Amino acid sequence: MIPPTTSTTPDHPRQSHSVSTGKAGPYVELTGGSVKIINPWTKSKRRRLYSIPALLTTSLSSSVPHSCVFCHHPAHTAGGLGDLFGPYCVRGEEVWLHLDCVFWVPAVHMVRGNLLGLEEGVEQCKTLLCGKCETSGASVGCTQHRCEEVVHLVCGREAGWGMDEDRLDARCPRHRRE
């Protein structure tokens, strides 16, 4: 999903509103196994805001930059991470993510353009502490049998992990295949 833009041109075909107005654009809501795209604006002459969870309205109007729910970095950090995608509504919380980070979460799958298992993936990674920086949200785990090492993607790259994106095989430095 493309992050919301901040165009203030009223006749722009993909109109969105300034973040400072407190008005939110479309967002994705995940509940259980269902995915809903919520567009709070109608096509009628008089545009009006439908009911949006307070969290979304509050966070979209804040001046705090968004960060990835997994690695906690903003978009385009030095570690080679690209854009943030979101907001996704996971159990009432607004979350943003890097595709590179969510790519390694075992519970999350992309099927016909739909992101499935994000709720489970976020919950799982909240409890995993990175072996390098010791913060939560680690999404890359060593695939060596019985190894419990986990890291954030950028931390793993910095720590010398072997990561084969074609096979989704990640190995900590101790188990890395040369």
Side-chain angles (χ1 to χ4, degrees):
M1 175 174 212
I2 300 172
T5 59
T6 56
S7 170
T8 55
T9 308
D11 296 324
H12 189 274
R14 293 181 72 191
Q15 181 179 10
S16 61
H17 295 271
S18 172
V19 173
S20 64
T21 65
K23 297 177 181 172
Y27 64 95
V28 177
E29 180 178 293
L30 302 167
T31 52
S34 68
V35 177
K36 294 179 187 174
I37 297 175
I38 310 297
N39 188 354
W41 296 95
T42 67
K43 296 265 184 196
S44 67
K45 286 184 179 180
R46 184 171 178 224
R47 295 182 179 261
R48 63 189 178 113
L49 191 62
Y50 288 105
S51 174
I52 294 180
L55 176 64
L56 292 176
T57 307
T58 303
S59 64
L60 285 174
S61 63
S62 73
S63 61
V64 178
H66 300 292
S67 62
C68 177
V69 68
F70 299 108
C71 71
H72 312 291
H73 288 287
H76 305 285
T77 59
L81 299 172
D83 290 329
L84 282 172
F85 293 87
Y88 293 96
C89 187
V90 176
R91 295 199 170 122
E93 289 184 48
E94 176 186 310
V95 298
W96 293 77
L97 52 92
H98 294 109
L99 288 181
D100 287 344
C101 293
V102 74
F103 181 70
W104 291 95
V105 179
V108 181
H109 305 282
M110 181 72 80
V111 177
R112 295 186 195 155
N114 295 317
L115 200 57
L116 305 176
L118 185 58
E119 274 187 337
E120 294 82 5
V122 169
E123 289 302 311
Q124 175 188 21
C125 292
K126 275 184 182 178
T127 61
L128 298 176
L129 295 180
C130 177
K132 183 175 185 287
C133 71
E134 298 182 0
T135 60
S136 66
S139 63
V140 180
C142 181
T143 56
Q144 176 67 35
H145 185 64
R146 293 192 178 162
C147 184
E148 296 181 2
E149 290 294 315
V150 291
V151 289
H152 298 109
L153 179 64
V154 173
C155 292
R157 287 175 179 162
E158 292 171 357
W161 278 53
M163 293 184 223
D164 183 344
E165 291 183 6
D166 294 330
R167 294 179 38 222
L168 285 178
D169 185 40
R171 301 289 175 134
C172 67
R174 189 173 58 169
H175 298 117
R176 183 177 179 169
R177 296 179 186 153
E178 296 299 326

